[in-house]
Amino acid sequence: MPVPWFLLSLALGRSPVVLSLERIVGPQDTARCSPGLSCHLWDGDLFCLPGSIVSAPGPVLVPTRLQTELVLRCHQETDCGLCVRVAVHLAVRGHWEEPKDEEGIGRAADSEREEPRNASLQAQVLLSFHSYTTARCVLLEVEVPAALVQSGQSVGSVVFDCFEAALGTEVQIWSYTQPTYQKELNFTQQLPDCRGHEIRDIIQSCWALPWLNVSADGDDVHLVLDVSEEQHVGLSLYWDQVKSPTKPWWHRNLTGPHTITLNHTDLVPCLCIQVWPLEPDSVRTSICPFRKDPRAHRNLWRAARLRLLPPRGWRLDAPCSLSAEATLCWQALGGGPCQPLVPPLSQENVTVNVSSWEKLQLQECLWSDSLGPLKDDMLLVETRGPQNNTSLCALEPSGCTPLLSRASTRAARVGEHLLQDLQSGQCLQLWDGDLGALWACPMNKYTHQRWALVWLACLLLAAVLFLLLLLKKDHVKAAAKSRAALLLYSADDEGFERLVGALASALCQLPLRVAVDLWSRRELSAHGPLAWFHAQRRQTLQEGGVVVLLFSPGAVALCHEWLQDSASASGVHSPHDAFAASLSCVLPDFLQGRAPGRYIGAYFDSLLRPDAVPTLFRAVPVFALPSQLPDFLRALQGPGVPRPGRLADRAEQVSRALQPALDCCLRPPGTPETGREMGPEAGDRT
């Protein structure tokens, strides 16, 4: 036999006894004021939301308290519905502004006594009403005579008749003024249902309400409709959300009597049942019997899903709205529980779906979605002190090891190198908060290979390199001085791209290794400009190279667009335009002071004025070409540049290579070309 577990009629509510209610005849809404005030109700409902709070220009009327009363609105003697009467109590807040100069005190005092202090005070008061089936908003105009206008004094109240609502529902009422001078008042009330005798006798919809019994039998839950065979009933199961619309889960039109069986795995705390007769304008009554059921809370936690949102956010999805606390933790490569960060970083409070009755945890690792495949990286914790002093430690299974300690751990052995990697921009920032930051530093270059064959190959390679160093000393010396340069530009037009190609080809003739997207079109098409730029920038900076920003009218426009509003800078650009793709990473380096020593700028003086380069980018040297070619080449090649005479010869060589392409770029449209400049690497431009 089924064991009675929960037995409740849908006619039950929070108010088992209903006192005698006042009756209002007719459908017309009305408003009335306390003595001394005058008020007016606007015709029709409004669509209204509270606006931003503004400063009061002087004395204003504001709502101070909401008071409700239940009444019956009747169309006939036995055809009545439940209605909520709302009283809004008002008070004066603020003062008249006093004159600032002494000479005008006398004149101002006389004028203030007449105007405006003798004027009445007016206010527009909004009442917003929400229930499961109803949403209304009305506007009341209230006028207070000047005699009652004193700051902090209550002036009376205005009463609105009335908001109709369904039986047994929960209603919410807000009140605020227009304009909004303070945070809106709110009031929540549970309305009675058909259990009250007066309600049941007067409201016709209570005469034929279906009755529902909820009971448990082992792992199953039975919903039993106790109605006659001829009665048609609608029954709906839904998830009652606090901050979002209800989510229907199951709906059927049934003929009683009827029994619905639920599995215990379907229960969650916010699962509610609604039932109503299939008749016009019938009353819908709801119950939520599983709010305190331990099985429902366990099911809620099992259904929760934690997701990471780029770049540093998270979201928890579950059927019910609850609150939780989210914090950062770390997990060693070998697995195991996710430990809170040591030293701990700040915790963030978020509105998510977590049960507070039992201490459970959900976790998702950054590597799973945000950073790609798992890597052998070292996680560094940067802790910021109260006086801007910082400390760094590396997270290991044994704890957080200071980078410069003498411990015998892996992080301590390479601590100095990790610190250099962090300072040179080789580490990826995973998190940044008020108390500290997280960094992931690659460890692949510090990994020791254990196979003897690999060591033998390394020794053999070292011997070969040593022999080559002895045989071709001068050539190796020149090659050692070569420096990597990543050239970034905006593809304004075909002529400017040809000019960039000529510059890149000319620089390749010097001891420079040049990377430019013109020669990597296939790679850009395969991986995208942003991925190509990240790979080239990382390699260039790791090798002590330099990133060259080549400014043009198009590049300057893109920079201004990003500086003014980065959110609107995601317009349509060429799929091969690495300059537009790289601005999201280049600009933070300049804004945070990391650009000097890693970037230089250049522009063609015949195409752009010197003052056109944005001020932010003048934190690094910016050179005019070809007039400042010697200085530009000296900055490109870095330490160990050739003698001044040799440098002038190389500048002259680059200038001669640039001139035909520069003339072509400056030639008016329609002028025939006499030749075409092509670089040695320009073949790969597909």
Side-chain angles (χ1 to χ4, degrees), residues 500-514:
V500 173
L503 176 61
S505 299
L507 294 178
C508 284
Q509 305 304 319
L510 307 177
L512 286 171
R513 289 175 287 110
V514 180

Side-chain angles (χ1 to χ4, degrees), residues 342-397:
V342 180
L345 298 184
S346 59
Q347 298 179 345
E348 300 289 343
N349 291 324
V350 292
T351 300
V352 290
N353 304 317
V354 180
S355 173
S356 59
W357 71 280
E358 187 175 356
K359 291 185 177 180
L360 298 173
Q361 291 183 350
L362 288 179
Q363 74 178 55
E364 183 173 342
C365 295
L366 286 170
W367 292 109
S368 59
D369 293 323
S370 303
L371 304 177
L374 188 65
K375 301 176 182 179
D376 185 20
D377 287 0
M378 185 67 69
L379 186 63
L380 302 185
V381 179
E382 177 187 350
T383 306
R384 304 188 181 111
Q387 299 179 353
N388 295 327
N389 53 342
T390 61
S391 61
L392 286 166
C393 64
L395 285 171
E396 296 181 293

